[in-house]
Amino acid sequence: MNAKLKIGILGGGGILAAHAPGFMRLRDLCEVVVAETDASRHHEIRRLLGDEVAIVSDYNEILADADVDAVDIILPHYLHAPAAIAAANAGKHILTEKVMARNLQECDQMIEACGRSGVSLTVCHDRRYDSEWQALKDVVDSGELGDILFWKLEHNQNVVFPEGSWVRSKEKLGGGAIMSCLTHQIDSLRWYEGEVDHVTCMTRTEPGRMEGESIGAILAKMRSGALALLSINWYTQSHHAPNGLWYEFNHVTGTKGEAYFMSGKGTYVKIHDGSSKHYYDTEGKGSFVKVDVKKDLTGHQRCIEQWVKSLRGEQAEILTNGTDSRRTVEVAEAAYRAEETKAVVSLPLQPAR
Ligand SMILES: NC(=O)c1ccc[n+]([C@@H]2O[C@H](COP(=O)([O-])OP(=O)(O)OC[C@H]3O[C@@H](n4cnc5c(N)ncnc54)[C@H](O)[C@@H]3O)[C@@H](O)[C@H]2O)c1
């Protein structure tokens, strides 16, 4: 394929800073146009994508352009499904930011619309495309940790949005911190360990900050038999403080060893009897060994690179199609049902009546 792809980016808010470098490094292969209703964002969009980038305010203008091959949806969550369905109906392939949509019903409508139009649906769960997160998967997949017993995944941030922001609205966000960002951890857990069998959940809401929960914890039993504890804390300043803690943390314990990824620190492995074929403790001190990870691209950049390859009909590693990413929303929805009913909820979920 020689012709340049034309890609519409729908939305030009905060996360464009992560997507724009992904497209800029591929500018010989694709041209982008942006739809952004807020004119005060246009200067920043030009800074990120070049002065010549075309910007419109109504995304329907992009969908009506027969030369546009595909769209990258980086809109607020309540607009993911309507924009994706309109894009599918217009015959455009779709990449959408996480979370795929606010609930399973919306995910199913998106999958159905894409199936009907014969277009692809990919979700930008960037952690699966990040080399540090991949390194932890490689450790687990090597089998050297033995049988996996326990996962602990954490997301820590200080999230304070101004009055009127869509993030403060439970309806527009699709819940609270769990649906918004613990879905990074849920999605990675599913990628690392397979599907979730049942969950229970507790949350804490601070109405002065947002309608949905700011803090949540999910306890999950995996189909593999492993246990997983996932938590999100949107009320901590820790990872910004000198001598504070971390932003994200993934720790896995197996019968023969353990490993973790900690943001800002890297990926580490300890094989208890020191017999590793790959992760050798050169000092013989029984310590954790740092995995040598080549960090060339960010998760967003690699996701966009693979998506563009797939659009060009080239061999691509798409790790997050719509059907798979739907199951991540399903776990978050199951957790909310568990919290509401103070019960353990099994998957797959039966549709709400
Ligand atoms: N992967 C990550 O780590 C990560 C981090 C932050 C955000 N995100 C995701 O990115 C998406 C967007 O989040 P954000 O932080 O950029 O939000 P944001 O509020 O900063 O940006 C959304 C933008 O969409 C624009 N917009 C709203 N309605 C529009 C319409 N009809 N047409 C065109 N533009 C419209 C808004 O003006 C705004 O500029 C969400 O899905 C969010 O979860 C992902």
Side-chain angles (χ1 to χ4, degrees), residues 9-19 34-41 45 56-60 73-80 83 96-100 124-127 155 157 161 165-167 173 179-181 183-184 234 247-248 300:
I9 302 180
L10 313 189
I15 201 63
L16 182 66
H19 286 238
V34 182
E36 170 55 63
T37 43
D38 179 356
S40 74
R41 288 291 306 165
I45 294 169
V56 298
S57 59
D58 183 352
Y59 70 65
N60 289 303
I73 299 173
I74 54 171
L75 293 165
H77 298 167
Y78 68 100
L79 293 175
H80 286 195
T96 183
E97 250 300 335
K98 67 84 203 157
V99 56
M100 181 172 166
C124 186
H125 268 297
D126 59 287
R127 272 50 168 188
H155 188 287
Q157 228 179 338
F161 276 88
S165 162
W166 63 273
V167 177
L173 192 65
M179 185 60 86
S180 186
C181 277
T183 39
H184 282 305
W234 269 6
Y247 167 43
E248 287 176 293
H300 280 98

Side-chain angles (χ1 to χ4, degrees), residues 70-71 73 83-85 87-88 92-96 114 119-122 307:
V71 294
I73 299 173
I85 293 164
K92 317 297 184 197
H93 297 286
I94 297 160
L95 175 67
T96 183
C114 290
V119 296
S120 62
L121 175 59
T122 306
W307 181 59

Side-chain angles (χ1 to χ4, degrees), residues 122-123 125 128-129 134 137-138 191 299 302-311 314-321:
T122 306
V123 180
H125 268 297
R128 289 202 194 194
Y129 299 88
Q134 174 72 54
K137 181 164 170 58
D138 291 344
W191 179 49
R302 180 163 292 110
C303 179
I304 287 167
E305 177 187 78
Q306 295 304 312
W307 181 59
V308 167
K309 275 188 175 193
S310 75
L311 295 176
E314 295 169 9
Q315 183 85 26
E317 214 178 343
I318 298 294
L319 305 173
T320 49
N321 65 34

